Amino acid sequence: DSKASGHRQCLVEPIDCGGGIQVIPRRIKHVKELETWGYIVQEASHPGKLDASKAMKLGARGKQLGALKAGLDVLDEDGKVMIRAADVVASPTEGAKVSLMWDTFDATNAKEASMGCMLLVHESTFRSSEKEKARQWGHSTAGMAGRFAAEVKAKALVLTHISSRYSSEEELQGLVDEAREAALSTGKEKEFNVRIASDFLELHRKKPADCFEVA
């Protein structure tokens, strides 16, 4: 650990959860008296798809197809490469990454690990007009969440930990609009998805490399 801005910065080794899933913990800033953590859930890459038709045209048969799928070249009887796996197997598909940030006014320490996440769940206790109050209590505004989402190149953002003072549909939509505007002003593309978390909310993805559907 080292000290920076009155808060300790901590990089912790990923936690292997099995099944190709890792959780990366990062200490983030809340209030001086309390230590909080953000978590990045990372799925392992998915192997590239074998073009079986092409492999068979090149002479692969039976177990040779499995070897190619595993990334192994097929050799002829003289030990020379007959079929290169790279020629018939697509590149691996990056696994999903989900970043979870709550009880924080500054998640900078988790920025690198969150980079490129498909989904960012970030606390958004206050509107941007309450920025000073948010900092005083160690929380974020919707604008802060939107800027962090843009900085880590998140594909979708869900706002959570909303103050009970924002209860009407209009007020909640105001938080969404603030987060989206902040993201766009930080360089995020226009199709950026933002929504408010709700009880029993389910998010689905169409395929391993695709972003979560949040609309």
Side-chain angles (χ1 to χ4, degrees):
D1 290 359
S2 62
K3 290 189 176 181
S5 303
H7 286 260
R8 291 175 297 168
Q9 300 297 308
C10 183
L11 301 180
V12 180
E13 291 299 315
I15 301 166
D16 188 353
C17 300
I21 303 294
Q22 286 188 330
V23 175
I24 305 169
R26 288 292 182 266
R27 184 178 285 129
I28 52 181
K29 295 180 181 180
H30 181 34
V31 292
K32 191 172 183 180
E33 298 79 13
L34 293 175
E35 185 174 87
T36 57
W37 294 78
Y39 299 95
I40 300 90
V41 182
Q42 175 71 65
E43 180 184 43
S45 297
H46 299 271
K49 184 178 180 180
L50 170 68
D51 187 337
S53 177
K54 181 178 180 180
M56 293 179 71
K57 286 180 181 178
L58 293 173
R61 296 291 182 273
K63 294 182 179 180
Q64 293 176 335
L65 293 171
L68 290 167
K69 175 67 174 176
L72 302 175
D73 295 336
V74 172
L75 308 180
D76 62 20
E77 294 179 353
D78 297 323
K80 296 180 179 180
V81 175
M82 183 174 74
I83 308 172
R84 295 175 63 248
D87 293 336
V88 294
V89 179
S91 300
T93 301
E94 187 176 352
K97 180 190 289 187
V98 176
S99 179
L100 309 171
M101 301 292 131
W102 35 62
D103 280 336
T104 183
F105 74 89
D106 183 358
T108 301
N109 196 42
K111 185 179 292 185
E112 183 177 349
S114 299
M115 196 63 64
C117 60
M118 291 185 178
L119 175 67
L120 169 65
V121 180
H122 198 293
E123 78 126 283
S124 175
T125 309
F126 297 99
R127 293 198 66 161
S128 296
S129 58
E130 302 276 9
K131 186 175 181 178
E132 289 306 314
K133 183 175 290 186
R135 186 176 182 87
Q136 177 185 352
W137 293 102
H139 291 297
S140 297
T141 66
M144 292 164 67
R147 281 189 291 276
F148 186 83
E151 289 168 358
V152 301
K153 305 185 186 303
K155 293 183 179 179
L157 169 64
V158 172
L159 303 177
T160 188
H161 201 286
I162 310 294
S163 171
S164 59
R165 73 187 66 193
Y166 310 119
S167 57
S168 71
E169 185 174 334
E170 182 179 356
E171 289 171 324
L172 294 175
Q173 184 59 45
L175 293 172
V176 170
D177 292 342
E178 283 189 7
R180 182 178 287 112
E181 289 169 9
L184 292 176
S185 69
T186 314
K188 192 61 185 169
E189 58 270 14
K190 291 184 179 180
E191 60 267 24
F192 183 54
N193 290 317
V194 186
R195 70 165 299 153
I196 300 288
S198 60
D199 291 340
F200 310 113
L201 172 66
E202 293 186 8
L203 303 176
H204 303 276
R205 50 186 175 142
K206 300 174 183 177
K207 49 189 177 182
D210 205 354
C211 146
F212 285 80
E213 299 175 333
V214 297

